[in-house]
PDB file of all heavy atoms in Angstrom:
ATOM      1  N   LEU A  10      -0.305  14.250  -7.644  1.00 53.00           N
ATOM      2  CA  LEU A  10      -0.391  14.603  -9.058  1.00 53.00           C
ATOM      3  C   LEU A  10       0.991  14.856  -9.595  1.00 53.00           C
ATOM      4  O   LEU A  10       1.818  15.461  -8.950  1.00 53.00           O
ATOM      5  CB  LEU A  10      -1.181  15.883  -9.215  1.00 53.00           C
ATOM      6  CG  LEU A  10      -2.681  15.743  -9.232  1.00 53.00           C
ATOM      7  CD1 LEU A  10      -3.295  17.102  -9.469  1.00 53.00           C
ATOM      8  CD2 LEU A  10      -3.088  14.799 -10.340  1.00 53.00           C
ATOM      9  N   SER A  11       1.215  14.428 -10.808  1.00 50.00           N
ATOM     10  CA  SER A  11       2.524  14.706 -11.374  1.00 50.00           C
ATOM     11  C   SER A  11       2.581  16.179 -11.744  1.00 50.00           C
ATOM     12  O   SER A  11       1.609  16.789 -12.160  1.00 50.00           O
ATOM     13  CB  SER A  11       2.795  13.811 -12.570  1.00 50.00           C
ATOM     14  OG  SER A  11       2.184  14.334 -13.714  1.00 50.00           O
ATOM     15  N   GLY A  12       3.739  16.763 -11.549  1.00 43.00           N
ATOM     16  CA  GLY A  12       3.910  18.196 -11.739  1.00 43.00           C
ATOM     17  C   GLY A  12       3.579  18.647 -13.151  1.00 43.00           C
ATOM     18  O   GLY A  12       2.995  19.703 -13.349  1.00 43.00           O
ATOM     19  N   SER A  13       3.925  17.833 -14.108  1.00 46.00           N
ATOM     20  CA  SER A  13       3.719  18.262 -15.491  1.00 46.00           C
ATOM     21  C   SER A  13       2.226  18.417 -15.790  1.00 46.00           C
ATOM     22  O   SER A  13       1.829  19.271 -16.563  1.00 46.00           O
ATOM     23  CB  SER A  13       4.353  17.274 -16.447  1.00 46.00           C
ATOM     24  OG  SER A  13       3.974  15.970 -16.109  1.00 46.00           O
ATOM     25  N   PHE A  14       1.415  17.596 -15.144  1.00 47.00           N
ATOM     26  CA  PHE A  14      -0.015  17.693 -15.420  1.00 47.00           C
ATOM     27  C   PHE A  14      -0.579  18.998 -14.887  1.00 47.00           C
ATOM     28  O   PHE A  14      -1.334  19.696 -15.556  1.00 47.00           O
ATOM     29  CB  PHE A  14      -0.750  16.522 -14.781  1.00 47.00           C
ATOM     30  CG  PHE A  14      -2.133  16.378 -15.311  1.00 47.00           C
ATOM     31  CD1 PHE A  14      -2.341  15.677 -16.480  1.00 47.00           C
ATOM     32  CD2 PHE A  14      -3.197  16.978 -14.683  1.00 47.00           C
ATOM     33  CE1 PHE A  14      -3.602  15.558 -17.013  1.00 47.00           C
ATOM     34  CE2 PHE A  14      -4.475  16.867 -15.210  1.00 47.00           C
ATOM     35  CZ  PHE A  14      -4.668  16.164 -16.377  1.00 47.00           C
ATOM     36  N   LEU A  15      -0.170  19.348 -13.674  1.00 45.00           N
ATOM     37  CA  LEU A  15      -0.649  20.601 -13.099  1.00 45.00           C
ATOM     38  C   LEU A  15      -0.193  21.787 -13.923  1.00 45.00           C
ATOM     39  O   LEU A  15      -0.929  22.733 -14.134  1.00 45.00           O
ATOM     40  CB  LEU A  15      -0.162  20.735 -11.661  1.00 45.00           C
ATOM     41  CG  LEU A  15      -0.869  19.772 -10.704  1.00 45.00           C
ATOM     42  CD1 LEU A  15      -0.286  19.905  -9.310  1.00 45.00           C
ATOM     43  CD2 LEU A  15      -2.366  20.036 -10.683  1.00 45.00           C
ATOM     44  N   GLN A  16       1.021  21.688 -14.441  1.00 46.00           N
ATOM     45  CA  GLN A  16       1.525  22.755 -15.293  1.00 46.00           C
ATOM     46  C   GLN A  16       0.631  22.963 -16.486  1.00 46.00           C
ATOM     47  O   GLN A  16       0.306  24.076 -16.845  1.00 46.00           O
ATOM     48  CB  GLN A  16       2.906  22.382 -15.822  1.00 46.00           C
ATOM     49  CG  GLN A  16       4.021  23.153 -15.170  1.00 46.00           C
ATOM     50  CD  GLN A  16       5.353  22.687 -15.716  1.00 46.00           C
ATOM     51  OE1 GLN A  16       5.435  22.230 -16.859  1.00 46.00           O
ATOM     52  NE2 GLN A  16       6.370  22.785 -14.916  1.00 46.00           N
ATOM     53  N   LEU A  17       0.223  21.882 -17.085  1.00 45.00           N
ATOM     54  CA  LEU A  17      -0.618  21.988 -18.267  1.00 45.00           C
ATOM     55  C   LEU A  17      -1.890  22.767 -17.937  1.00 45.00           C
ATOM     56  O   LEU A  17      -2.312  23.638 -18.656  1.00 45.00           O
ATOM     57  CB  LEU A  17      -0.998  20.601 -18.783  1.00 45.00           C
ATOM     58  CG  LEU A  17      -1.961  20.664 -19.972  1.00 45.00           C
ATOM     59  CD1 LEU A  17      -1.205  21.022 -21.231  1.00 45.00           C
ATOM     60  CD2 LEU A  17      -2.704  19.364 -20.131  1.00 45.00           C
ATOM     61  N   PHE A  18      -2.458  22.420 -16.784  1.00 46.00           N
ATOM     62  CA  PHE A  18      -3.759  23.039 -16.478  1.00 46.00           C
ATOM     63  C   PHE A  18      -3.608  24.393 -15.817  1.00 46.00           C
ATOM     64  O   PHE A  18      -4.579  25.061 -15.582  1.00 46.00           O
ATOM     65  CB  PHE A  18      -4.629  22.065 -15.675  1.00 46.00           C
ATOM     66  CG  PHE A  18      -5.193  21.059 -16.597  1.00 46.00           C
ATOM     67  CD1 PHE A  18      -4.556  19.841 -16.797  1.00 46.00           C
ATOM     68  CD2 PHE A  18      -6.300  21.354 -17.345  1.00 46.00           C
ATOM     69  CE1 PHE A  18      -5.048  18.948 -17.713  1.00 46.00           C
ATOM     70  CE2 PHE A  18      -6.793  20.463 -18.280  1.00 46.00           C
ATOM     71  CZ  PHE A  18      -6.168  19.243 -18.457  1.00 46.00           C
ATOM     72  N   SER A  19      -2.383  24.776 -15.536  1.00 43.00           N
ATOM     73  CA  SER A  19      -2.225  26.159 -15.084  1.00 43.00           C
ATOM     74  C   SER A  19      -1.778  27.020 -16.266  1.00 43.00           C
ATOM     75  O   SER A  19      -1.432  28.169 -16.108  1.00 43.00           O
ATOM     76  CB  SER A  19      -1.210  26.222 -13.941  1.00 43.00           C
ATOM     77  OG  SER A  19       0.056  25.787 -14.405  1.00 43.00           O
ATOM     78  N   ILE A 126      -9.428  19.182 -11.655  1.00 92.00           N
ATOM     79  CA  ILE A 126      -9.689  19.899 -12.903  1.00 92.00           C
ATOM     80  C   ILE A 126     -10.971  20.689 -12.746  1.00 92.00           C
ATOM     81  O   ILE A 126     -12.054  20.117 -12.659  1.00 92.00           O
ATOM     82  CB  ILE A 126      -9.766  18.920 -14.086  1.00 92.00           C
ATOM     83  CG1 ILE A 126      -8.383  18.300 -14.268  1.00 92.00           C
ATOM     84  CG2 ILE A 126     -10.212  19.639 -15.355  1.00 92.00           C
ATOM     85  CD1 ILE A 126      -8.300  17.247 -15.309  1.00 92.00           C
ATOM     86  N   LEU A 184      -7.561   8.794 -17.869  1.00 96.00           N
ATOM     87  CA  LEU A 184      -7.250  10.134 -17.364  1.00 96.00           C
ATOM     88  C   LEU A 184      -6.627  10.043 -15.973  1.00 96.00           C
ATOM     89  O   LEU A 184      -5.672  10.756 -15.659  1.00 96.00           O
ATOM     90  CB  LEU A 184      -8.507  11.011 -17.344  1.00 96.00           C
ATOM     91  CG  LEU A 184      -8.239  12.453 -16.885  1.00 96.00           C
ATOM     92  CD1 LEU A 184      -7.268  13.173 -17.806  1.00 96.00           C
ATOM     93  CD2 LEU A 184      -9.541  13.254 -16.803  1.00 96.00           C
ATOM     94  N   MET A 187      -3.057   9.076 -16.443  1.00 93.00           N
ATOM     95  CA  MET A 187      -2.278  10.161 -17.035  1.00 93.00           C
ATOM     96  C   MET A 187      -1.991  11.259 -16.033  1.00 93.00           C
ATOM     97  O   MET A 187      -0.969  11.935 -16.085  1.00 93.00           O
ATOM     98  CB  MET A 187      -3.001  10.754 -18.258  1.00 93.00           C
ATOM     99  CG  MET A 187      -3.128   9.839 -19.441  1.00 93.00           C
ATOM    100  SD  MET A 187      -1.562   9.222 -20.079  1.00 93.00           S
ATOM    101  CE  MET A 187      -0.976  10.604 -21.029  1.00 93.00           C
ATOM    102  N   MET A 188      -2.918  11.453 -15.106  1.00 90.00           N
ATOM    103  CA  MET A 188      -2.735  12.501 -14.110  1.00 90.00           C
ATOM    104  C   MET A 188      -1.767  12.088 -13.000  1.00 90.00           C
ATOM    105  O   MET A 188      -1.164  12.934 -12.376  1.00 90.00           O
ATOM    106  CB  MET A 188      -4.071  12.863 -13.477  1.00 90.00           C
ATOM    107  CG  MET A 188      -4.947  13.657 -14.409  1.00 90.00           C
ATOM    108  SD  MET A 188      -6.538  14.033 -13.666  1.00 90.00           S
ATOM    109  CE  MET A 188      -6.051  15.071 -12.314  1.00 90.00           C
ATOM    110  N   ALA A 218      -9.907  17.817 -20.754  1.00 90.00           N
ATOM    111  CA  ALA A 218      -8.824  17.212 -19.957  1.00 90.00           C
ATOM    112  C   ALA A 218      -8.283  15.960 -20.637  1.00 90.00           C
ATOM    113  O   ALA A 218      -7.075  15.719 -20.664  1.00 90.00           O
ATOM    114  CB  ALA A 218      -9.313  16.879 -18.548  1.00 90.00           C
ATOM    115  N   ALA A 222      -4.528  15.581 -21.831  1.00 84.00           N
ATOM    116  CA  ALA A 222      -3.668  14.536 -21.277  1.00 84.00           C
ATOM    117  C   ALA A 222      -2.720  14.004 -22.346  1.00 84.00           C
ATOM    118  O   ALA A 222      -1.569  13.675 -22.072  1.00 84.00           O
ATOM    119  CB  ALA A 222      -4.511  13.404 -20.703  1.00 84.00           C
ATOM    120  N   PHE A 225       0.359  16.462 -22.473  1.00 64.00           N
ATOM    121  CA  PHE A 225       1.041  17.128 -21.385  1.00 64.00           C
ATOM    122  C   PHE A 225       2.407  16.587 -21.061  1.00 64.00           C
ATOM    123  O   PHE A 225       3.142  17.162 -20.292  1.00 64.00           O
ATOM    124  CB  PHE A 225       0.158  17.135 -20.137  1.00 64.00           C
ATOM    125  CG  PHE A 225       0.279  15.938 -19.264  1.00 64.00           C
ATOM    126  CD1 PHE A 225       1.208  15.932 -18.228  1.00 64.00           C
ATOM    127  CD2 PHE A 225      -0.524  14.849 -19.437  1.00 64.00           C
ATOM    128  CE1 PHE A 225       1.308  14.841 -17.418  1.00 64.00           C
ATOM    129  CE2 PHE A 225      -0.415  13.768 -18.621  1.00 64.00           C
ATOM    130  CZ  PHE A 225       0.508  13.764 -17.615  1.00 64.00           C
TER     131      PHE A 225
END
Side-chain angles (χ1 to χ4, degrees):
L10 277 183
S11 82
S13 49
F14 195 85
L15 288 177
Q16 253 178 29
L17 176 77
F18 282 94
S19 62
I126 295 176
L184 183 61
M187 293 302 281
M188 287 178 65
F225 87 91

